[in-house]
């Protein structure tokens, strides 16, 4: 049985969120980040004087600014208050942590990793702090830190065998049963707890979705909800779970070899599949210029999408990211930094495809391997001759890093049957809409909860995903 388990830091006390942050911030405020802070506050933020910047935000909000500016300020204030919780490792402590595995590691080597963008950092009130999981990010590229323990590579042979079978049989199918659960152990008697757990949605790959068991008094969103969930509201229950089963088909087409699928498309792209969705899917000047350069001379939409995929998988390095609520304009920042994780890469691909005139959209949920289950994000793109196809940019980038060109090519146009799709839109509302600030205001892969209208942070929730069963069944395209 494969399990992913996320624990809070204390498991007991529900706190009031980041110190000094009123609960008036909401997820919709994050749609206004590109309004921008006033320059005097932005200078404080960029210099790392977060305490002063937060105080300046509070003073501005007391003046009742224009609504879109007020929303941006509330979101930025929340981001600044959350930043020290995630960028919490000082320079000296980071060096000491590396030396616990690599005693010969020097300060000069640390500075070199910073200079080469191998470690994510922020200045906070005059001191450099690095991301709390920076060690995991370093392990992705063991040649850069030869004195550290490398990242485990369990399951690679099993995965590659599955992909080869998929390619030889033109597709694979699975029937998968998962159990998701969330609890809020610190909620007090009489407080109203609401919870949302992602469940499989009906989509191009998935069908025959069945809810087998769930905590009583729950409600399941429509099959085509853009962020499908099972949800509850209770003044007595503190733990909630749902068990569901679904059939997933993963067709294979060798696009690099010229074997294009011939499938009638019953799901034509919508206008929003080709437009901006700010602040993160934004057609910025740099992304327009970069995309124009990459697709120069290409007319066919499939060639354009492939050129974008080739560029990103060959140039973007995988790096662990802070929570997305701390990120700026995600696609534009990724294109500048050439660093990102699965969701960052997917958003960049979607944005550049749309700029290139190729409709593209978000998919996310879980990567469900027989020995592990974890959150994952990828993309869909549309061409008239193929209909909708998938692209997994982070898996393609990983394949390039490991020298597996066949696998890099596989993930343009194809995925695999080890997936669960719950979300089809970035920044989609939950159903019913959440009543507090979500842990992740953009996506839902592990679940959300609130107590008396205040959204719970990760450290306040116990969340788990269990693989109950995975059955191999004949592939049917």
């Amino acid at each position: 049985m494969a399990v992913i388990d996320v624990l809070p830091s204390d498991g007991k006390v529900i706190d009031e969120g980041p110190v000094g942050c009123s609960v008036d911030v909401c997820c919709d405020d994050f749609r206004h980040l590109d309004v921008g802070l006033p320059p005097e506050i932005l200078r404080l933020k960029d210099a790392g004087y977060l305490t002063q910047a937060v105080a300046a935000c509070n003073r501005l909000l007391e003046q009742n600014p224009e609504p879109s500016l007020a929303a941006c300020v509330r979101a930025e204030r929340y981001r600044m208050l959350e930043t020290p919780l995630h960028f919490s490792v000082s320079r000296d402590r980071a060096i000491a942590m590396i030396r616990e595995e690599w005693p010969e590691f020097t300060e000069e080597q640390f500075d070199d990793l910073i200079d080469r963008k191998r470690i994510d950092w922020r200045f906070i009130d005059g001191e450099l702090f690095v991301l709390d999981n920076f060690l995991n990010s370093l392990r992705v590229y063991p040649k850069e830190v030869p004195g550290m323990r490398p990242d485990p590579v369990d399951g690679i042979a099993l995965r590659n065998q599955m992909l080869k079978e998929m390619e030889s049989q033109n597709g694979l199918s699975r029937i998968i049963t998962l159990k998701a659960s969330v609890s809020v152990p610190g909620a007090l008697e009489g407080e109203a707890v609401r919870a949302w757990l992602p469940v499989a949605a009906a989509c191009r790959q998935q069908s025959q979705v069945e809810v087998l068991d769930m905590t009583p008094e729950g409600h399941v969103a429509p099959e085509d909800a853009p962020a499908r969930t099972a949800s509850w509201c209770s003044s007595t229950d503190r733990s909630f779970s749902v068990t569901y089963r679904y059939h997933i088909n993963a067709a294979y087409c060798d696009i690099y070899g010229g074997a294009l699928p011939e499938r009638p498309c019953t799901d034509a792209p919508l206008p929003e599949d080709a437009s901006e969705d700010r602040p993160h899917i934004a057609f910025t000047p740099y992304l327009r210029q970069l995309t124009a350069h990459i697709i120069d001379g290409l007319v066919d939409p499939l060639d354009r999408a492939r050129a974008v995929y080739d560029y990103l998988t060959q140039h973007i390095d995988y790096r662990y990211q802070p929570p997305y609520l701390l990120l700026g304009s995600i696609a534009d920042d990724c294109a500048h930094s050439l660093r990102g994780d699965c969701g960052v890469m997917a958003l960049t691909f979607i944005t550049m495809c749309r700029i290139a005139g190729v409709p593209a959209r978000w998919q996310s949920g879980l990567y469900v391997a027989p020995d592990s289950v974890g959150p994952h994000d990828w993309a869909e793109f549309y061409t008239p001759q193929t209909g909708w196809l998938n692209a997994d940019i982070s898996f393609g980038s990983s394949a390039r890093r490991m020298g597996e060109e066949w696998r890099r090519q596989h993930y343009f146009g194809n995925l695999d049957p080890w997936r669960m799709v719950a979300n089809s839109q970035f920044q989609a509302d939950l159903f019913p809409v959440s009543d507090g600030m979500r842990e992740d205001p953009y996506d839902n892969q592990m679940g959300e909860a609130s107590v008396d209208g205040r959204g719970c942070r990760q450290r306040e929730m116990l969340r788990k995903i269990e693989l109950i069963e995975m059955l191999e069944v004949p592939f049917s395209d």
Side-chain angles (χ1 to χ4, degrees), residues 72-85:
C72 174
V73 172
R74 287 192 298 267
E76 288 284 11
R77 179 185 61 179
Y78 191 85
R79 280 152 46 95
M80 288 186 278
L81 289 164
E82 281 278 308
T83 295
L85 303 179

Side-chain angles (χ1 to χ4, degrees), residues 44-317:
L44 290 170
K45 177 191 172 187
D46 288 346
Y49 295 114
L50 300 188
T51 301
Q52 293 173 255
V54 167
C57 288
N58 290 335
R59 290 193 296 270
L60 178 57
L61 289 171
E62 290 172 357
Q63 300 169 20
N64 296 317
E66 190 275 333
S68 63
L69 176 59
C72 174
V73 172
R74 287 192 298 267
E76 288 284 11
R77 179 185 61 179
Y78 191 85
R79 280 152 46 95
M80 288 186 278
L81 289 164
E82 281 278 308
T83 295
L85 303 179
H86 302 281
F87 289 87
S88 58
V89 182
S90 68
R91 181 180 187 276
D92 289 345
R93 175 58 184 149
I95 293 172
M97 290 170 67
I98 297 175
R99 285 176 174 168
E100 289 176 5
E101 301 181 26
W102 186 6
E104 298 80 17
F105 184 75
T106 67
E107 294 188 20
E108 290 75 19
Q109 287 173 302
F110 181 84
D111 293 336
D112 180 63
L113 290 172
I114 291 284
D115 291 343
R116 292 190 292 114
K117 299 184 292 186
R118 297 323 195 229
I119 298 177
D120 198 358
W121 58 272
R122 299 287 190 277
F123 273 123
I124 300 175
D125 294 334
E127 184 177 353
L128 184 146
F129 287 86
V130 305
L131 191 60
D132 49 13
N133 64 352
F134 80 100
L135 287 179
N136 294 332
S137 195
L138 289 176
R139 295 188 207 282
V140 175
Y141 294 87
K143 292 182 180 179
E144 298 177 357
V145 283
M148 291 178 55
R149 293 190 299 270
D151 204 21
V153 292
D154 297 339
I156 289 180
L158 185 64
R159 176 206 63 201
N160 285 359
Q161 178 185 350
M162 176 269 295
L163 292 178
K164 291 295 188 181
E165 290 176 1
M166 179 178 170
E167 294 182 1
S168 67
Q169 299 176 30
N170 295 319
L172 291 176
S173 295
R174 298 289 188 270
I175 294 177
I176 296 175
T177 304
L178 294 170
K179 179 180 180 180
S181 60
V182 60
S183 65
V184 187
L188 302 178
E189 183 178 354
E191 290 182 322
V193 176
R194 297 181 69 192
W196 297 260
L197 285 169
V199 297
C203 61
R204 184 170 52 85
Q205 307 104 302
Q206 289 177 177
S207 61
Q208 302 175 41
V209 181
E210 302 174 81
V211 174
L212 304 178
D213 187 37
M214 63 187 299
T215 301
E217 307 300 325
H219 300 276
V220 180
E223 283 193 342
D224 60 351
R228 195 178 189 216
T229 61
S231 61
W232 299 263
C233 181
S234 176
S235 296
T236 56
D237 288 335
R238 298 295 179 258
S239 298
F240 309 89
S241 67
V242 58
T243 302
Y244 55 92
R245 179 169 58 210
Y246 60 98
H247 187 140
I248 184 163
N249 271 342
Y252 175 72
C253 55
D254 181 9
I255 294 181
Y256 283 86
L260 299 183
E262 295 182 4
R263 304 189 189 98
C265 181
T266 59
D267 181 16
L270 301 173
E272 52 263 37
D273 297 325
S275 62
E276 292 182 291
D277 188 7
R278 302 178 73 92
H280 297 299
I281 302 177
F283 300 171
T284 63
Y286 179 65
L287 282 172
R288 289 180 185 271
Q289 294 171 18
L290 177 62
T291 304
H293 172 72
I294 291 170
I295 67 171
D296 185 34
L298 301 176
V299 177
D300 183 83
L302 185 61
D303 290 339
R304 289 185 167 197
R306 179 163 44 196
V308 172
Y309 176 84
D310 286 345
Y311 174 82
L312 294 177
T313 55
Q314 291 168 354
H315 290 84
I316 306 297
D317 284 342

